[in-house]
Amino acid sequence: MTHNVKTLQEIIDKGRRIVFFGGAGVSTESGIPDFRSADGLYNQKYAYPPEVILSDTFFYSKPEEFFKFYREKMIFPNARPNAAHKKLFELEQAGKLRGIVTQNIDGLHRMAGNRLVYELHGTIYENTCLNCGRKYGLDAIMNSEGVPRCECGGVIKPDVVLYGESLDKYTIMGACREISQADVLIVAGTSLAVQPAASFIDYFGGRELVVINPDATSADERATLVIRGRVGEAMEKIVVR
Ligand code: NAD
Ligand code: ZN
């Protein structure tokens, strides 16, 4: 890893338009479990796999069960940005990082201070009444029981993209524009199993594709550098200059 981090440092030093593409693995070092690691949600016992519970059909047919899982497994109000989030903020401040494209809904990149964030799957911090459109914060979900309701009686739905729903078109356009204009793309903490998000990295035509993941991914063969390790540990060693 040390040797590889040295190469990552050189790539970042030369980079002028760095884009970071991440997934749930970026937040495991903040204490939020991912889906597909050994201790991820797929390997815990539930009546249904996560992508069934987190689907639009499940939301509308079994909202109580949806919110039970969602509150227990998707909301971590005490999680804080880790070394990876913090280094990306430094890189944005230095004008080297042009965007973060994330599949995460935990809001940690924004909490770290980053502005150029494309949250492909939305955020737990924004919620909308399905009846009147009134907006709510995370409190409305956390401080309620069962199915959260608006004052008007409507169901409050998190602004997260459920399996079966479409991604926001302007978020897709922004994310794909940044990826296509990048000279360095760092793909970290994602199994690249969720579509269409994973396919967006195909728009990259720049020099250096870096993959950071303890496990093998489908992007490894295209990468100029593969770091088999934790993204927080790797990014922590990077000096922004
Ligand atoms: P995933 O669970 O499918 O894959 C996580 C990947 O990260 C794995 O390949 C794992 O090896 C790797 N990983 C784990 N810890 C790592 C670390 N410290 N450093 C580097 N890599 C690490 O995650 P995904 O590809 O993002 O797809 C899951 C979907 O579920 C996404 O759509 C996402 O919205 C959602 N999700 C979000 C959160 C969150 O917001 N934090 C958490 C779980 C799931
Ligand atoms: Zn309402």
Side-chain angles (χ1 to χ4, degrees):
M1 176 136 153
T2 321
H3 167 75
N4 278 344
V5 171
K6 195 165 163 277
T7 311
L8 176 61
Q9 179 74 61
E10 288 163 9
I11 290 172
I12 288 177
D13 285 343
K14 284 192 209 129
R16 291 286 167 270
R17 303 190 64 93
I18 301 169
V19 171
F20 184 91
F21 181 95
V26 176
S27 295
T28 53
E29 288 161 89
S30 294
I32 303 179
D34 64 8
F35 282 178
R36 292 175 187 83
S37 286
D39 50 359
L41 286 184
Y42 273 95
N43 296 309
Q44 301 177 17
K45 287 208 163 44
Y46 288 100
Y48 311 91
E51 79 252 42
V52 171
I53 306 181
L54 297 174
S55 69
D56 57 345
T57 43
F58 197 93
F59 177 87
Y60 290 104
S61 60
K62 298 190 176 68
E64 265 100 12
E65 275 185 70
F66 172 90
F67 278 107
K68 185 171 182 294
F69 180 90
Y70 183 78
R71 285 195 186 92
E72 274 176 24
K73 298 295 170 190
M74 302 309 294
I75 297 182
F76 292 84
N78 298 323
R80 289 294 170 265
N82 63 47
H85 301 100
K86 289 176 187 166
K87 196 64 67 172
L88 291 168
F89 175 59
E90 276 185 57
L91 284 166
E92 185 182 296
Q93 291 288 94
K96 293 179 73 74
L97 182 86
R98 294 308 172 102
I100 295 173
V101 180
T102 183
Q103 300 166 80
N104 293 346
I105 58 173
D106 55 37
L108 291 183
H109 288 298
R110 291 194 189 279
M111 204 184 282
N114 283 84
R115 290 275 167 269
L116 309 171
V117 186
Y118 299 89
E119 293 172 314
L120 295 176
H121 295 154
T123 168
I124 58 169
Y125 290 98
E126 290 168 22
N127 302 274
T128 306
C129 169
L130 290 175
N131 183 46
C132 73
R134 183 171 160 187
K135 296 285 180 191
Y136 287 89
L138 184 57
D139 293 3
I141 308 295
M142 288 195 5
N143 302 337
S144 58
E145 278 174 31
V147 180
R149 298 263 171 195
C150 178
E151 280 172 10
C152 81
V155 174
I156 302 174
K157 182 177 180 289
D159 291 359
V160 303
V161 179
L162 300 176
Y163 290 93
E165 291 181 331
S166 317
L167 280 57
D168 176 69
K169 112 174 145 197
Y170 296 104
T171 309
I172 298 180
M173 281 161 57
C176 292
R177 184 189 61 231
E178 291 308 336
I179 291 170
S180 66
Q181 293 175 354
D183 58 359
V184 175
L185 181 66
I186 302 172
V187 177
T190 172
S191 62
L192 297 173
V194 178
Q195 295 295 353
S199 68
F200 297 163
I201 66 169
D202 296 342
Y203 289 101
F204 179 63
R207 278 180 297 117
E208 306 279 4
L209 176 66
V210 179
V211 175
I212 310 176
N213 197 311
D215 294 332
T217 77
S218 58
D220 293 4
E221 57 187 20
R222 283 178 277 166
T224 40
L225 172 66
V226 176
I227 297 183
R228 282 262 179 278
R230 287 147 65 95
V231 61
E233 278 173 26
M235 294 300 285
E236 194 164 33
K237 300 190 181 83
I238 296 300
V239 179
V240 179
R241 51 196 172 207

